[in-house]
DNA sequence: CTAAACTTGACCATTTTAGTCAGGTATGTA
DNA sequence: TACATACCTGACTAAAATGGTCAAGTTTAG
């Protein structure tokens, strides 16, 4: 089970953005340099974030991106959904009555994986961008 | 973030095994048929489970595998470790002081991913094979 | 002595990931 | 108006991971 770069970068970039967007729009170039993420890749990611109304774009010189919501209202769930980083632990289609092995009933571990999926998603639902900003100021060891 | 088949199959197979091993050793062929998992693939998985002393093997006709511990003492953590299904959310090497971007300090989201890793691992540490057996008898809707 | 079942290791097709590349288009500033 | 900056879009691809298969054994109950 691992987290992909796309999801990791999306959150990283948004935290970076949230720190600076009070004043001016933040350019992807800046984020790219500060966070060490490929500019071209960031563009793909922000295209999706924009479609999902998490950020707004401002074109032209001095342009960049700005948050489209209050940091408190942007949960990790929203970010992950936007960039298609989905948590998938069950193998079967959930809606279907059928199991992952093609049989007529759910497999013997289905409930377990479903529980795990919920467990993980709960984490994402309870974390907002705001939390991450605070968290970082705390300078925890 | 998704669970791989290897981890899913390992747990599936062990639950199946745990249900039947009171009487006789259980052959991989039986598990393969009951759970719809490729026999050759199961062999790879059980080879690892054996090395990690989770199961014992009995060779020859009427042979098969048997649990090597009490179901209550086999946590999901143990199973996942055995088959190299590791939870990896941070990108960096944890021991290192360096960040994932090659910089001298940890990245701004490092703490978050670390917390997530703990969150997921906690789930695995608190589930034993025994729990899964009980869970399945409950015939939950 | 033979069939069932474990054992080992090499091999491989497909899919996913993590990007790159090559073109645009819009707009603030000089 | 020129032009640099920064967003925008879609195609493409190398490398890694996944999810197996295949082949050639060895062991032992009956
Ligand atoms: S995971 Fe849903 S039936 Fe197996
Ligand atoms: S994940 Fe550890 S430094 Fe970025």
């Amino acid at each position: 089970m691992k987290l992909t770069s796309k999801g990791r970068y999306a959150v990283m970039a948004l935290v970076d953005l949230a720190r600076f967007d009070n004043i001016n729009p933040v350019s992807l170039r800046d984020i790219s340099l500060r966070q060490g993420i490929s500019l071209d890749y960031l563009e793909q990611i922000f295209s999706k974030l924009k479609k999902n109304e998490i950020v707004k774009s401002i074109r032209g010189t001095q342009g960049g991106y700005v948050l489209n919501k209050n940091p408190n209202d942007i949960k990790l769930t929203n970010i992950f959904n936007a960039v298609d980083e989905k948590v998938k632990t069950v193998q079967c289609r959930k809606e279907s009555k059928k199991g992952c092995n093609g049989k007529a009933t759910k497999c013997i571990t289905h409930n377990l994986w479903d529980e795990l999926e919920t467990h993980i998603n709960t984490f994402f639902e309870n974390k907002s961008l705001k939390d991450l900003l605070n968290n970082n100021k705390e300078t925890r060891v």
Side-chain angles (χ1 to χ4, degrees), chain A residues 41-114:
Chain A
Y41 204 23
L42 273 179
E43 277 170 354
Q44 285 181 43
I45 292 171
F46 272 76
S47 156
K48 296 187 178 188
L49 292 175
K50 191 188 168 188
K51 271 183 199 141
N52 283 265
E53 296 175 346
I54 292 173
V55 297
K56 273 186 302 196
S57 68
I58 294 158
R59 304 189 71 153
T61 318
Q62 302 302 319
Y65 285 92
V66 187
L67 290 183
N68 198 12
K69 297 177 184 179
N70 192 298
N72 204 28
D73 295 331
I74 303 177
K75 308 291 180 191
L76 285 200
T77 303
N78 305 135
I79 302 174
F80 276 27
N81 277 345
V83 298
D84 306 311
E85 169 88 22
K86 25 185 177 267
V87 176
K88 171 156 186 167
T89 56
V90 297
Q91 177 72 351
C92 59
R93 286 184 311 127
K94 268 194 189 178
E95 317 80 57
S96 168
K97 270 280 177 187
K98 285 184 187 174
C100 53
N101 41 23
K103 298 193 179 153
T105 65
K106 293 295 185 188
C107 75
I108 55 180
T109 46
H110 178 88
N111 286 343
L112 173 69
W113 308 132
D114 200 30

